Amino acid sequence: MKLTAILLAVCLQVQATGYAQKLSISQRNVSLDKIFREIRKQTGYLFFYDVEWLQKAGKVSIDMKNASLQQIMDYCLVNQPLTYNIVDKTIVLSLKEEKQPPATTAATVFVDVSGKVTNALTREPIDGVSVLIKGSQRGTHTNAKGEFTLTNVEPGSILVFSFVGFVSREVKVDDSGKPILVSLQYDDKDLENVVVIGYGSVQRKDLTGSVSSVTMEDMTKAPVRSFDEALAGRLPGVQVSSAEGQPGSSINIVIRGNNSITQDNSPLYVIDGFPVENPDNSLLNPNDIESIDVLKDASATAIYGARGANGVIIVTTKKAKEGKPVIRYNGYGGVQQSLKTMDVLSPYEFVKLQKEMNVADINETYLANGVTVEDYKNVPAIDWQDKLYRDAGITDNSLSVSGSIKKTKTKYTASGNLFHQDGIIINSAFKRYQGKLSLDQAIGKKLKVGGYGMYTNTRRYGTIPSSLSGSSMNNLLYSVWGYRPVQPINPSKPINEDIESELGDDLINPTTDYRLNPILIAQNEYRLRNIKNTIANLYVEYNILKDLKLRVTGGLNRTHQQYDAFNNSKTRSGNPYNIYGINGSISHYRTTNWLNENTLTYNKKINKNHRINAVAAFTMQGNHYAYDGVAANHIPDESLGLKGIPLGEAQRVVPQETEWTLASGLTRVNYTIKDRYLFTASFRADGSSKFRKENQWSYFPSGAFAWRLSNEPFMEKLKFITDAKLRVSWGITGNNRISDYATYAKLDTPITAYYSFNNVLHPGAILSALASEDLKWENTAQTDVGIDLGLFNNRVNITVDYYKKNTTNLLLNAGLPPTTGYGSAFKNIGETSNEGIELGLSTVNINTKNFKWSTSFNISFNKSKVLALTQNQESITSAMSWDSWYSTVPLYITKLGQPLGQMYGYIWDGVYQYEDFDQLANGTYVLKDHIPTNGNTRASIRPGDVKYRDLNGDLVVNDNDRTVIGRGFPLHFGGFTNNFKYKNFDLNIFFQWSYGNDLVNANRLNFEMGNKVYLNQYASFANRWTPENTNTTMPRAGGQFGYVYSTRVIEDGSYLRLKTASLGYTLPATAAGKLKLKTCRFYISAQNLITWTNYTGSDPEVAIGYSALTPGFDYSAYPRARTIIFGLNLSL
Amino acid sequence: MKKIIFILVLPALLPVVSGCKKFLTREPISFVSPANYYNNEEEVSKALAGVYDIVSAETQWGCRIPVRHNASTDESFFSYTSFPTGPFRYNYDVADAHVTELWKALYAGIERANTLLANLNKAAMDDSKKQVVRGQALFLRAFFYFTLVQYWGDVPLKLEPSSSVNNVDIARSPAKEVFEQIVADMKEAETLVQSATEVGISGIVSKSAVRGILARVYLTMAGFPLKDASKFKEARDWALKVKESGEHVLNPDYKQIFINHSADIEDYKECIWEAECYGTNNDAYREGGRIGNENGVNCRSTDFAQIGYAYGFNSTTRKLYFLYGPDDVRRDWAISTYSMNAAGVKTTLAATNIYGRNCAKWRREYEVLSPKNKNYTPANFPMLRYADVLLMLAESENEVNGPTPLAHEALNLVRNRAGLSDTAIAGKDDFRLEIRNERARELCFEGLRKPDLIRWGIFLQAMKETAEEFRAYATSSQMYAAVNAENVSERHLLYPIPLSETSLNKKIVQNPGW
């Protein structure tokens, strides 16, 4: 894929016209005449000269690619007696005036200058650099070793070094006679200019759609496991949020808002041309990524038709490059620490709370034998968080060798990666082992074959503390925060002698409170997710005609995931209090995905004003998935581990197997007139096995127009505008994220539907899904208007896009009335819209020889709206299954005319104070008649109880007083990068933010509650209402009536984060050379360095149990880590 | 140029014109479609087991119908305070989970039965066996409709499988029509299923089960809301058929009925039809129920694997407790005389402590499977006992012919087993009252009381009296039970149609008061 891209780009460039035109000429020792003819062929420019002049000129060798006409002319005429002028498409040659050497005066001593030019990055010598004495026509070129010599140069003159693809440099000549060493930097702008789009690539200037590209140089400075972890804030319109801090946890990426209500909104990934719907991004080594381009508008995504509606992320990995073998090593090592631990009550506050709660046996435990609350003031706390969290190591080692063998026309790369990340919670880790080999072979002039193979093994260890199990007491952090911080001083009943090493807490009833020693659980729960992934991609490329190329690719992507779980007697589910006993399971998930693509690319410049580039392809893709495994409870001998499974009570595992196929035809035409008017039209047809009969095929058209204003003659006066382009696009894309057989009725024999007759079990066959045969694609129509501006010689670049998306025929997992006998079915029903603005801005603030400062900034706004749901339906409410008491309490609401995923509940009004009550003669308090209840019966409400707002004024707070209480998605988000270079130092500082989204801090429902005996609470609960402390809004212990959500636990989730800071030092070439290295850079990087937020939980970037309907939920989330590493980049 | 454009466009059109039909057809691999099922006896019997599955579901008779839906009447109250809402507190709305899941599961069962009935003909199997299956499916569907009509009144009547996700709106049929369908289906079923002796167990529907339930259906039709008194005669005839079959006798030992449930022993002579629960849920299946757990004697055991764990959700009212005479052996089995601590040690309750007495019909100590599960038991639940048939016979005979010897005989069979002597009640009204009380004594905690009170037309009055009873006798911490009973109003005669139905079914109309 990448190769097509490069070739296509070259073709496009050859045919460019106008001053931005690029040429490629490679000739050895030929006459100028021959070169001029070649130039004429490529550009259509005419030459005007006297034939005799050329006889005076010497022969020239030239090998330049992507050079401008001027560069080529300058190169050819260096040291020739000729000079030139370009007059309206004609190159007029003339003889140089024979300049007399300046009169030699006694004061002027001419010197001979020599030196060497190298590539600043690779330290390799550069052959053919033009070296000119500024203000004269004198000059030379460097030889193959990068060396040059000039005689008779006046000290103080300035030498100009220039070469295609590099930034020119000027060096002043002194009379010291020392050799002049010059290193040239790559011209980043040129490199970034190629954008990979679907089935091809274009230069950014020729782009008609909305495509954002990641600046890989910045991104690779973040020490992360996978690229998506570093993607947040990098690109406008791309919202990235990770669920929690666990190594390997899921990351949600949403491009330009959620289209689907119940279905997956994640983008389509195209990895080296291979479309994958839900890839495991941890399988890719971030170091191995060459580029990431994100297609956003319909013009760009429609080429992926039925799967393009959520946007497309194109990841291209590094491929072999021409040249001598280069060995590169990148490695780092460092440490991670939890960003924040939660403060819990001190021993004194803990005991005080137990006394206040009137715990039944407190006089036998904490306050036995005359011990008072005060006695706990000086007792040190057991810090469970400190025992659970650790400073965890992280190391990454990547080695690659790449180069080409000229003789056999072979390019090769071999690379390997070892990545090891310990989790900050004990006994959790992530490891990656990867090897890759890629080869490209040219056969003759027209044929090329190549491909790559990659094997990756990732291993993720450790329990997931945030798994929503239906009971909040099962989550690891419940036990961490809640476990008793102190032992009773002098108890009169037997209590754990060593609470730190015993599994259970003797003071609680293990059948109703599932608290267990968190350290033992974390140490003993064995969880391993072992993924083995093999990718093999092959291609054949054949130039049928000069302008027409055929490329055939075949690829295979196989993943085998084995999930092992073992629970011994010291774990949550295997302990003796649990019904399952010692238990274990091994599960296998196997996915095989294959792809065949056949692409024709046609490139033609029709005349000097018209260019056409067209692509057509026929592709086929298929996927096969299988699941099976074994599981057993009551394993008699835990020392056997998983080997003991056959000895236990076998649990029924129902194997699964599914497959899908997709056949597609697509075509796209780019048509350019005068380099000013750019047209793109694309069309794709997709046929999918997920749909049936007449709905199997669907068609996705798109069109775009771009106008490069800056190429218009009338713009020439506006010198400060270097580049200006206006873009408009429209198109239709689809979404097919439903199960493989959603159109089929389903009959199952689940373990819950057996029936016993006289205690003999019979399997029961039951209907589990109703056929939905008419299903078809979900369609998204998107309009995009954008402008790209380059100002002041492209030192300021601005891109602004406005988009509006309308998604219709939503694939909605729609509720069915229970009278059908079914719960839900997929239907094409419902409608959503998303509208937004994105802004990207990059500037070069300072650019001097020694100091460079550049900045880039992006911000995105999106507004989503639900326009229709299934029949009759006004809203969808969603509950979270984090706790059994809350399992049916709606927390989110998605209403017609409003955004997705809003939080829903009561408005919290603090607590009832004494003045809300009448005091009776017997001292009891009775709520005044005009004060609304909080849902509890009026007689039971006491001062200090939580108070909610009675919205309908009926003096009773109940379900009718629920309202929207929070926004699940941000108002805007973005990122801000600064790059500084001072001499050999480089500094990168990256900020990222999210603003205006709310979070549900469900942790506080358990830890600012005070209704469970001997359960420690957050330190914030010390400020609860008590008769002595009435000036507070925190309810009294046990004053939280009922199980409801309110604004009390809805918090502002906005944050600004100093996400990445990286400081590097590159050894000077001379020093590196002494070490026999081409480059050597040391750096120190930090991730998640500082976060500014008002969120009281451990981290505001959290989304437990995430879906478009349920964003921003926090309960027992794995804490996020701050990572600081020291690294080394070497090449030799 | 044109040629090249043609080459470029061709691949895009290729898939459309050429048939990739085969490539794009992917039938389900690891599950089957109903259309490809019901081919033979094995598949048909699996489908039938799927219909039965609803009967013992936790949302139905495996727990919630007896333990929660019928928990708060004049015979029992829901003695657990942590659930602030639910039918047992008469504090619920259209979105109530209990109400919703009852409705949902019954219609799921109806869909399963409809699909089986619609496909049964194509099965290659012995026709006589097919007819037996047909009879059971017809009966179960009718029984699900009977439950629906008891709790909701008019309900949508669906006799064919659901056909399309887009055609889901269905209106309610008048209760009378639903009853007519129930009766027609059950009568047909009665001719198809096997006799109780042939069946030989309680888990499979027999002729006796159909007849006994038909008696219950007709008694219900004779009472509120249809009040068709002519149906007493039909009820009497069907109940009498059960008696005259000679296949059933009462278990001489009242408590053994319930011990058998816990100990996985089936006695079809007394227990004509049972909802079968199986295993402990520690095994590979999830077929245990909550009988004896939610409605057992409160025991928050830390060693539940041995002792068993129970919540004690159901407790007696004073009314029930004092309905029993001192010689009645049933009282101290149906109602606990003791409390249990976490170690399973029993302590006798003070004689004055009435409201502290839990339902004790099903006791976990009699379970034979070990280790026990904290929450799930293998105990079956009696859907129809012979004692119930006898009391229905006595009740309908009395309504039709007065307290005849037949009515007395039926009543006395039940009384004698309880250690009581024959009655000599002469008046029809007195006899009616006696039957009503006898039903409470014999059948308490078996999920029959609320429908009984409603069909007798005395539900509101009975709940008012229950509230007064609690006001008079309950301690302050038990006073919530009075509040629960006081919550009862006219609208509680019927459940609301669940929100999930009304929000998605355009044709449905809500019950009055909801």
Side-chain angles (χ1 to χ4, degrees), chain A residues 261 831-832 864-869 894-900:
Chain A
I261 294 177
E831 195 176 340
T832 57
S864 75
K865 204 187 257 186
V866 178
L867 302 176
L869 293 168
T894 295
K895 267 189 189 174
L896 290 187
Q898 295 193 11
L900 283 165

Side-chain angles (χ1 to χ4, degrees), chain A residues 391-454:
Chain A
D391 291 350
I394 180 169
T395 57
D396 185 39
N397 291 284
S398 300
L399 187 66
S400 72
V401 53
S402 94
S404 63
I405 304 165
K406 250 191 184 158
K407 213 169 163 188
T408 59
K409 292 185 182 172
T410 310
K411 290 193 282 181
Y412 62 88
T413 312
S415 65
N417 172 244
L418 297 176
F419 177 81
H420 186 146
Q421 179 182 19
D422 279 334
I424 53 173
I425 288 184
I426 52 174
N427 197 22
S428 65
F430 179 88
K431 294 175 185 177
R432 176 175 54 224
Y433 310 92
Q434 185 177 68
K436 182 181 165 189
L437 180 67
S438 88
L439 287 172
D440 297 276
Q441 177 69 52
I443 300 168
K445 282 190 172 162
K446 289 190 151 188
L447 189 65
K448 259 168 100 179
V449 295
Y452 77 91
M454 180 164 88

Side-chain angles (χ1 to χ4, degrees), chain B residues 226-239:
Chain B
L226 296 188
K227 293 185 181 164
D228 179 358
S230 70
K231 297 296 189 261
F232 282 120
K233 169 80 169 54
E234 302 263 9
R236 172 196 173 274
D237 293 349
W238 284 109

Side-chain angles (χ1 to χ4, degrees), chain B residues 74-379:
Chain B
D74 61 347
E75 68 176 22
S76 67
F77 73 104
F78 194 74
S79 45
Y80 186 66
T81 54
S82 294
F83 300 148
T85 61
F88 38 84
R89 301 197 79 138
Y90 297 100
N91 176 20
Y92 56 96
D93 60 10
V94 295
D96 184 82
H98 291 84
V99 174
T100 305
E101 66 199 4
L102 183 62
W103 173 272
K104 260 189 187 170
L106 290 167
Y107 274 105
I110 287 163
E111 175 69 10
R112 292 177 197 178
N114 280 338
T115 313
L116 172 58
L117 288 167
N119 287 284
L120 188 56
N121 276 341
K122 75 177 192 191
M125 63 187 280
D126 183 83
D127 193 60
S128 61
K129 285 181 179 169
K130 199 186 270 186
Q131 292 312 317
V132 175
V133 171
R134 186 175 152 74
Q136 293 175 74
L138 274 174
F139 170 79
L140 290 170
R141 184 179 72 182
F143 185 75
F144 297 149
Y145 272 119
F146 176 50
T147 310
L148 283 165
V149 82
Q150 279 182 304
Y151 287 90
W152 280 276
D154 302 350
V155 292
L157 187 61
K158 247 177 105 237
L159 302 172
E160 294 292 329
S162 292
S163 56
S164 159
V165 295
N166 299 318
N167 178 19
V168 296
D169 298 325
I170 183 166
R172 300 168 72 177
S173 296
K176 190 162 178 290
E177 273 176 36
V178 180
F179 270 112
E180 278 161 7
Q181 184 66 42
I182 292 165
V183 166
D185 283 345
M186 287 195 180
K187 281 182 175 167
E188 188 183 348
E190 196 261 346
T191 66
L192 300 173
V193 298
Q194 295 176 297
S195 73
T197 318
E198 285 169 319
V199 170
I201 63 169
S202 305
I204 293 174
V205 170
S206 64
K207 281 193 197 304
S208 300
V210 180
R211 291 165 181 165
I213 296 296
L214 262 170
R216 192 184 284 169
V217 171
Y218 277 120
L219 274 179
T220 308
M221 292 171 82
F224 181 88
L226 296 188
K227 293 185 181 164
D228 179 358
S230 70
K231 297 296 189 261
F232 282 120
K233 169 80 169 54
E234 302 263 9
R236 172 196 173 274
D237 293 349
W238 284 109
L240 191 58
K241 270 195 187 179
V242 177
K243 182 167 182 289
E244 287 180 340
S245 74
E247 292 174 290
H248 301 282
V249 289
L250 293 174
N251 189 322
D253 185 357
Y254 182 74
K255 69 173 186 291
Q256 194 60 42
I257 299 166
F258 308 99
I259 293 172
N260 284 349
H261 289 155
S262 295
D264 287 335
I265 297 165
E266 293 192 7
D267 165 22
Y268 75 91
K269 293 189 169 170
E270 162 90 34
C271 289
I272 298 170
W273 181 30
E274 287 177 3
E276 284 214 28
C277 294
Y278 172 91
T280 59
N281 281 29
N282 293 345
D283 48 43
Y285 304 93
R286 299 289 175 268
E287 290 303 329
R290 310 291 298 260
I291 303 302
N293 165 256
E294 283 200 359
N295 59 352
V297 181
N298 193 354
C299 175
R300 306 299 171 96
S301 169
T302 44
D303 186 19
F304 54 77
Q306 294 307 314
I307 299 163
Y309 193 95
Y311 291 92
F313 282 176
N314 295 165
S315 298
T316 185
T317 58
R318 286 181 71 84
K319 175 176 175 173
L320 175 66
Y321 189 79
F322 291 109
L323 271 179
Y324 290 105
D327 301 328
D328 197 323
V329 303
R330 293 174 297 190
R331 187 191 70 188
D332 289 351
W333 183 264
I335 300 166
S336 71
T337 55
Y338 55 86
S339 65
M340 284 168 92
N341 69 7
V345 177
K346 295 175 181 174
T347 311
T348 304
L349 290 164
T352 52
N353 185 354
I354 305 300
Y355 290 140
R357 291 165 192 258
N358 302 139
C359 161
K361 276 192 162 171
W362 298 275
R363 305 183 183 186
R364 298 209 62 181
E365 61 215 72
Y366 293 98
E367 286 170 23
V368 291
L369 290 177
S370 180
K372 288 168 191 165
N373 185 297
K374 181 184 167 195
N375 285 336
Y376 289 88
T377 78

Side-chain angles (χ1 to χ4, degrees), chain A residues 93-152:
Chain A
L93 294 179
S94 56
L95 281 173
K96 280 180 190 165
E97 289 169 32
E98 291 287 337
K99 272 192 195 163
Q100 292 297 322
T104 320
T105 62
T108 312
V109 181
F110 288 89
V111 292
D112 291 349
V113 192
S114 65
K116 187 176 175 179
V117 182
T118 53
N119 179 329
L121 189 71
T122 63
R123 304 291 166 190
E124 289 166 49
I126 310 176
D127 183 359
V129 176
S130 121
V131 186
L132 263 180
I133 300 167
K134 200 172 181 179
S136 80
Q137 296 294 332
R138 283 188 65 208
T140 183
H141 295 113
T142 56
N143 63 17
K145 292 175 179 170
E147 295 158 353
F148 69 93
T149 311
L150 277 172
T151 51
N152 288 332

